[in-house]
Amino acid sequence: IYADPAKRLELYFRPKDPYCHPVCANRFPTSTMLLRVRRRSKKKQQLDTEEQIQPEVQFEMEILGIVTTVYKFQGMSDFQYLAMHSGPDGKQTSMYDKVLMLKPEKEEFFNRDLPLYIPPPIFSRLDTPVDYFYRPDIQHRSGYNNPQVSGENLIGLSRARRPHNAIFVNFDDEEIPTKPLDAAVQNWKKVCTNPVDKKVEEELRKLFEARPVWSRNAVKANISVHPDKLKVLLPYLAYYMLTGPWRSLWVRFGYDPRKQPEAKIYQVLDFRIRCGMKYGYAATDMPVKAKRSTYNYSLPITVKKQGSHTVSVHDLKQGLGSAGTSGAKKPPSSRYKLKESVYIFREGALPPYRQMFYQLCDLNVESLQKIIHRNDGTESECTERDGWCLAKTSDDLRDSMSLMIKQIIRSTRPALFSNTTSSEDGKEQLAYESGEDEDDEEEEEEDFKPSDGSENEMETEILDYV
């Protein structure tokens, strides 16, 4: 805790109870001294039997060091939830011996009939009292009746979403749009106010002419445009695929990839770096950090969240208006450009995130392209799961990419793989990695739903355009 200045010190009143909620101490800088005080008493010689002996007391003090950090418990204790069950007679019965597995148990332990017990992981997000400032009741005139409940009367967001008028298309929709909505045209014409915006529009048109399907990250890596401006420009030139092999991608108006076998190379691959001890390394050993994780959600034991990348007023002006000044850190032509690694996979390089959306044409590895083009010229049907590719193509690509990433980690952190001494062991482990003997992995892939994709990323992008 001391090593991380964003953490708070936790105190558990019942350390052996996993359901105990701690109280937290805040960290404060200080400049105080740590003293060692010794009290020594020396008895005086007794001269008179009737006189009480007063011992001689001496104090010795020694400065051990300087204290620079202190922790103060200033918050309130959280609610405590005990693993108890109330019987019909009102008697409370402890359930700790039934819900806590303290040693390896047999199958009977898990098949017992027990009362439902689901404790909440956290009760209070804050441990200090705050004022809510409730609004007073509105005083209506006499005879006023509350309106009937409808969508307009329900409590919703603090502000209405700013619509960007994108067109969403599902894989099973019969028709695809050939032109944008009138509102999308008006939105872009309204914000296209200078030559820089017109130049960005022409650059994006050329991108869609050369390649009819793009991901948003790929667009941001090829042209420099402010994200807020891109939200308005994309619906003006393309529609968004929600499901199928081109889900989460932007498709040029009038182009239907379901009818074009050559659109196979534009399909999306949802790739996630595999972590776990069966792969030779744990999640904490992964050189690629997760963008977000449930393990990082530690409120209220953290002082503050990581600072977001805020955009200054100057940056907004540069992105939404003028071309920039000579004193800027980056030239206007690359101010908002992303690196190619956000959408291109190359052998020998780690992805920037643990979860990536790659288009098949952006997998710049010869062995991966051979897997993609195994059925060139013989494509007969476009399916929602595999598109124009052979069945299980995505699985084969993920296995091969996982092997490449493991070899990169092996070369950078050989200590993680010190147990694989012989070459035969290495081959066996690599074969295991490829999924040949992974029954549980195959079952997991069988349960994959084509329309689901990666909701954590897709929903974020969809909400930008709803």
Side-chain angles (χ1 to χ4, degrees):
I1 298 299
Y2 175 77
D4 188 352
K7 292 285 187 178
R8 305 172 73 192
L9 186 63
E10 302 174 59
L11 169 63
Y12 291 86
F13 295 110
R14 305 185 308 282
K16 296 182 179 180
D17 185 357
Y19 302 115
C20 176
H21 286 235
V23 290
C24 299
N26 296 320
R27 175 178 180 144
F28 293 95
T30 184
S31 56
T32 56
M33 294 180 293
L34 177 63
L35 303 179
R36 173 185 289 169
V37 181
R38 292 177 178 173
R39 181 179 183 272
R40 298 182 180 274
S41 58
K42 184 179 180 180
K43 294 183 178 180
K44 295 181 179 180
Q45 294 182 356
Q46 186 174 0
L47 300 177
D48 190 358
T49 56
E50 297 181 356
E51 183 180 352
Q52 294 182 354
I53 300 176
Q54 297 293 337
E56 182 180 353
V57 179
Q58 294 180 347
F59 290 94
E60 297 179 359
M61 292 186 293
E62 179 186 1
I63 300 177
L64 300 181
I66 299 176
V67 179
T68 59
T69 303
V70 295
Y71 289 88
K72 298 181 181 180
F73 290 89
Q74 300 174 317
M76 300 183 296
S77 178
D78 201 354
F79 295 94
Q80 304 295 320
Y81 198 95
L82 301 179
M84 310 291 290
H85 174 66
S86 298
D89 54 353
K91 184 179 179 181
Q92 299 286 341
T93 305
S94 175
M95 294 176 57
Y96 282 94
D97 58 338
K98 300 179 178 61
V99 298
L100 294 182
M101 189 173 66
L102 303 177
K103 61 180 180 179
E105 299 284 354
K106 297 183 179 179
E107 185 178 0
E108 292 78 10
F109 179 85
F110 304 96
N111 294 332
R112 295 179 298 173
D113 293 332
L114 297 177
L116 183 62
Y117 175 71
I118 306 178
I122 191 171
F123 289 93
S124 306
R125 295 187 59 180
L126 302 174
D127 58 359
T128 54
V130 294
D131 294 327
Y132 282 100
F133 298 107
Y134 291 103
R135 296 179 182 177
D137 294 336
I138 300 176
Q139 300 295 330
H140 295 288
R141 63 181 183 272
S142 59
Y144 174 83
N145 295 323
N146 290 326
Q148 294 182 354
V149 176
S150 64
E152 298 178 356
N153 301 117
L154 295 178
I155 299 175
L157 300 173
S158 58
R159 65 164 176 84
R161 285 198 176 274
R162 299 165 184 159
H164 296 97
N165 304 290
I167 300 178
F168 299 97
V169 176
N170 289 297
F171 180 80
D172 52 1
D173 290 345
E174 296 182 0
E175 301 294 334
I176 55 102
T178 58
K179 61 179 182 179
L181 299 176
D182 293 338
V185 177
Q186 296 299 325
N187 276 358
W188 175 245
K189 297 300 182 183
K190 187 184 302 182
V191 299
C192 183
T193 56
N194 55 72
V196 176
D197 300 331
K198 195 64 179 177
K199 181 181 178 182
V200 169
E201 178 187 342
E202 293 300 325
E203 290 178 353
L204 188 56
R205 284 188 184 276
K206 292 179 181 179
L207 289 181
F208 276 110
E209 289 174 2
R211 174 167 148 183
V213 185
W214 287 86
S215 66
R216 184 164 66 166
N217 277 346
V219 171
K220 293 166 71 174
N222 282 273
I223 61 175
S224 178
V225 56
H226 192 279
D228 290 341
K229 193 62 87 55
L230 185 62
K231 291 179 184 179
V232 185
L233 180 57
L234 276 174
Y236 176 61
L237 299 176
Y239 64 92
Y240 188 86
M241 289 289 288
L242 287 173
T243 58
W246 297 276
R247 63 186 177 275
S248 75
L249 302 180
W250 291 90
V251 186
R252 184 183 67 206
F253 283 119
Y255 184 83
D256 192 348
R258 302 169 300 179
K259 299 179 181 179
Q260 309 291 337
E262 60 270 16
K264 171 174 62 176
I265 61 175
Y266 305 128
Q267 293 176 194
V268 70
L269 175 69
D270 181 0
F271 176 71
R272 312 178 190 194
I273 299 180
R274 296 168 178 172
C275 300
M277 295 312 298
K278 67 177 181 179
Y279 302 116
Y281 49 87
T284 54
D285 301 321
M286 173 63 59
V288 182
K289 300 301 181 183
K291 284 196 291 186
R292 49 185 172 270
S293 172
T294 54
Y295 295 107
N296 296 331
Y297 183 79
S298 54
L299 287 175
I301 63 172
T302 52
V303 177
K304 58 184 177 181
K305 293 184 179 180
Q306 294 181 353
S308 60
H309 300 284
T310 57
V311 181
S312 65
V313 176
H314 176 72
D315 292 336
L316 283 175
K317 289 181 179 179
Q318 299 299 331
L320 299 177
S322 61
T325 59
S326 58
K329 295 182 180 180
K330 290 186 178 181
S333 59
S334 60
R335 181 185 299 275
Y336 301 107
K337 266 191 178 182
L338 300 180
K339 296 181 179 179
E340 285 189 346
S341 59
V342 300
Y343 79 103
I344 294 180
F345 179 83
R346 289 187 172 88
E347 190 172 7
L350 286 172
Y353 308 113
R354 294 189 184 182
Q355 179 188 11
M356 296 292 297
F357 289 97
Y358 291 114
Q359 290 182 257
L360 301 187
C361 59
D362 293 326
L363 302 177
N364 289 0
V365 182
E366 184 178 356
S367 59
L368 300 180
Q369 290 299 322
K370 288 182 179 179
I371 297 175
I372 297 169
H373 294 282
R374 287 181 297 187
N375 65 331
D376 279 1
T378 60
E379 299 94 340
S380 58
E381 182 185 5
C382 180
T383 62
E384 186 173 359
R385 175 188 170 91
D386 300 297
W388 294 105
C389 295
L390 293 175
K392 300 292 184 179
T393 295
S394 298
D395 301 338
D396 297 337
L397 291 173
R398 293 189 186 102
D399 292 338
S400 298
M401 295 167 68
S402 297
L403 279 174
M404 297 176 188
I405 290 176
K406 181 178 178 179
Q407 292 171 357
I408 297 174
I409 300 176
R410 181 194 297 270
S411 62
T412 56
R413 300 189 178 186
L416 297 177
F417 303 90
S418 58
N419 56 345
T420 57
T421 53
S422 65
S423 59
E424 294 181 0
D425 294 340
K427 292 181 180 178
E428 291 178 0
Q429 190 161 1
L430 290 178
Y432 180 75
E433 276 296 312
S434 63
E436 295 176 3
D437 300 327
E438 287 188 49
D439 295 335
D440 55 346
E441 185 72 19
E442 286 295 322
E443 292 177 0
E444 181 181 350
E445 294 295 329
E446 287 295 334
D447 295 337
F448 173 80
K449 297 180 180 179
S451 299
D452 287 349
S454 300
E455 297 176 354
N456 55 351
E457 294 286 352
M458 279 187 63
E459 289 181 358
T460 303
E461 184 167 359
I462 289 173
L463 288 176
D464 285 340
Y465 297 91
V466 171

